[in-house]
Amino acid sequence: MFKTFFITLFLSVLVMMSGCDSTAKKEQQSKICPECHMPLPASNKNTAFVKQDSKITYFDDVGCMVLWAKENNIDLKKVKVKVFTNDTKKYEDAFKLNYRIDEKTPMHYGFGAYEHKTKNTIDFNEVILRMLRGENMANPKIRKQILGY
């Protein structure tokens, strides 16, 4: 009886300890947007980051990055800003990308980045301007104007 109990206990502990290494999962979960406090999606779609003084700050939405930079008096033109592109699926310089204004994004700001120029896109300077003016898809009047309903 004692021997069976010991073997069962040993096997249970062995099974629990042999679980997957969750280091990568914890690292992904630890990336929280400082503006809206939401976790970054695993797909990286619509995410961005700012690298300043060897510190990297991640954002779940391009709009969050613009608002955070404004609140923290950070000039986005003077730091390294990368945005995940929807067409090539990699991080690229935010100022070299084209942005659609009608995308579905985590915070509903609507700015989706594309490396290859497509019809009806704007540059990053225009994204900054529209975010600071509140002219994005999170604004019901602007959303109605963009989507045409």
Side-chain angles (χ1 to χ4, degrees):
M1 174 97 170
F2 179 72
K3 188 175 180 181
T4 308
F5 174 75
F6 181 73
I7 291 173
T8 306
L9 181 65
F10 177 75
L11 290 175
S12 299
V13 171
L14 186 63
V15 167
M16 284 190 281
M17 293 179 71
S18 67
C20 299
D21 181 23
S22 60
T23 309
K25 188 175 181 182
K26 286 180 184 177
E27 184 180 316
Q28 183 67 28
Q29 288 175 343
S30 68
K31 292 181 184 176
I32 303 291
C33 177
E35 181 65 23
C36 66
H37 308 291
M38 295 200 41
L40 272 67
S43 68
N44 288 332
K45 187 174 180 183
N46 300 308
T47 60
F49 70 84
V50 172
K51 186 173 183 182
Q52 180 185 25
D53 302 326
S54 73
K55 182 183 177 205
I56 299 175
T57 307
Y58 292 93
F59 302 91
D60 68 331
D61 196 305
V62 175
C64 285
M65 177 180 60
V66 173
L67 296 176
W68 178 85
K70 174 71 173 168
E71 291 169 3
N72 290 284
N73 298 318
I74 295 171
D75 185 359
L76 292 174
K77 295 175 183 172
K78 295 181 179 177
V79 295
K80 187 176 189 177
V81 181
K82 299 268 187 167
V83 178
F84 193 79
T85 61
N86 291 342
D87 54 353
T88 59
K89 308 287 188 228
K90 57 185 178 178
Y91 283 99
E92 295 292 338
D93 183 355
F95 288 94
K96 295 179 181 176
L97 299 175
N98 306 292
Y99 297 84
R100 291 195 42 169
I101 62 172
D102 59 352
E103 296 281 322
K104 185 175 181 180
T105 64
M107 296 306 294
H108 305 290
Y109 295 125
F111 299 107
Y114 291 86
E115 189 171 4
H116 301 102
K117 190 157 181 76
T118 61
K119 191 176 180 182
N120 299 327
T121 59
I122 59 175
D123 66 7
F124 191 61
N125 290 315
E126 183 72 16
V127 170
I128 294 170
L129 187 63
R130 288 184 182 210
M131 274 306 301
L132 297 178
R133 288 181 178 167
E135 298 171 354
N136 54 65
M137 294 277 283
N139 180 334
K141 289 181 181 179
I142 301 298
R143 183 175 53 247
K144 183 177 179 182
Q145 187 178 34
I146 291 171
L147 297 177
Y149 58 82

